[in-house]
Amino acid sequence: MDNCVAVNSDAKWMVRSCRENLNFICEWNSGDEKEVVVDESHLCPKIQGWIDIGGDLCIKTYLLQKSWNEAMLYCLQHGGSLTTFHSQQDLQLFTNYVNSYFRYTSVHIGLARRKDGSYMWVDYSPVDFVAWDPEDPRSVTKDCVELDMRSEKWRKVLCDGIRRNFFCSASKQRDSNKEALVSNLQEQMT
């Protein structure tokens, strides 16, 4: 895997590409050597292109613009879902990553309104964190959600309207029954 760890200026560990040229410090340990065991159940998918941006987020970048519905289906077909957030930390890690490497004003995220008016993440995980834009007007026709990359707030959009960039995400704590999830989501799209 092409994952290495670097320390940023805030003394926080970040997963970076092993091919990236960074400054380094060598350490000599004169004590007993201990084997490091990696818990593979908390790693990003081994399929090429998934990036560990920290927290529980693994994302995959596609330099495409699609409607929300097209982006959701595209992510599903490539082993993930549109990006979901379960904490302010997840949102911050994502926006820091995107704003560091891209110049997007808004991106689609994996949140959509259900028929009963409530919202759900496309991967069926609980909606346990929200970051709505307080100035986003109420709408009965806009059922999908985008993230404004400047304000880090969410706004409602038409699912088949505006074409935006998007990122697919996969959790490091992946559900072993992923095939059932894909089948359920494809049924809901038809």
Side-chain angles (χ1 to χ4, degrees):
M1 292 178 54
D2 187 27
N3 289 329
C4 288
V5 176
V7 178
N8 68 14
S9 60
D10 296 324
K12 303 284 183 187
W13 291 22
M14 299 179 64
V15 176
R16 304 301 292 253
S17 170
C18 296
R19 296 183 182 119
E20 190 172 344
N21 291 324
L22 298 172
N23 294 326
F24 59 92
I25 298 172
C26 296
E27 177 182 9
W28 180 265
N29 185 357
S30 59
D32 294 336
E33 291 186 28
K34 295 183 180 176
E35 182 178 352
V36 175
V37 178
V38 177
D39 179 359
E40 298 233 359
S41 68
H42 290 75
L43 296 176
C44 291
K46 293 183 180 183
I47 303 167
Q48 188 176 20
W50 288 99
I51 300 168
D52 184 342
I53 64 168
D56 190 39
L57 288 175
C58 301
I59 63 169
K60 198 167 195 179
T61 304
Y62 297 98
L63 300 177
L64 304 168
Q65 289 191 339
K66 294 186 173 288
S67 72
W68 189 95
N69 277 332
E70 292 168 338
M72 185 194 72
L73 184 58
Y74 194 87
C75 286
L76 199 66
Q77 292 169 335
H78 291 85
S81 67
L82 280 172
T83 308
T84 63
F85 305 100
H86 298 284
S87 68
Q88 181 64 41
Q89 178 189 11
D90 285 349
L91 180 61
Q92 194 67 56
L93 287 167
F94 178 79
T95 56
N96 287 347
Y97 173 79
V98 174
N99 288 333
S100 294
Y101 296 102
F102 305 94
R103 298 285 179 240
Y104 300 150
T105 55
S106 297
V107 296
H108 292 305
I109 63 172
L111 190 63
R113 185 169 27 208
R114 299 164 59 152
K115 290 181 181 168
D116 68 3
S118 66
Y119 282 83
M120 68 176 278
W121 290 114
V122 294
D123 66 358
Y124 293 103
S125 59
V127 180
D128 48 8
F129 168 76
V130 295
W132 291 108
D133 181 342
E135 302 197 13
D136 187 32
R138 298 182 128 243
S139 174
V140 294
T141 59
K142 297 178 179 177
D143 293 328
C144 295
V145 181
E146 69 179 9
L147 167 63
D148 181 306
M149 295 306 299
R150 294 165 296 210
S151 68
E152 299 179 9
K153 298 294 181 190
W154 305 345
R155 295 186 302 237
K156 296 173 281 306
V157 294
L158 295 170
C159 297
D160 284 316
I162 195 160
R163 298 174 73 79
R164 292 269 189 235
N165 292 95
F166 62 95
F167 293 81
C168 300
S169 71
S171 172
K172 291 177 196 171
Q173 300 169 341
R174 291 180 299 284
D175 182 359
S176 60
N177 197 4
K178 186 88 170 180
E179 292 166 7
L181 171 64
V182 170
S183 176
N184 281 341
L185 288 173
Q186 287 177 330
E187 284 176 24
Q188 287 187 359
M189 295 241 357
T190 56

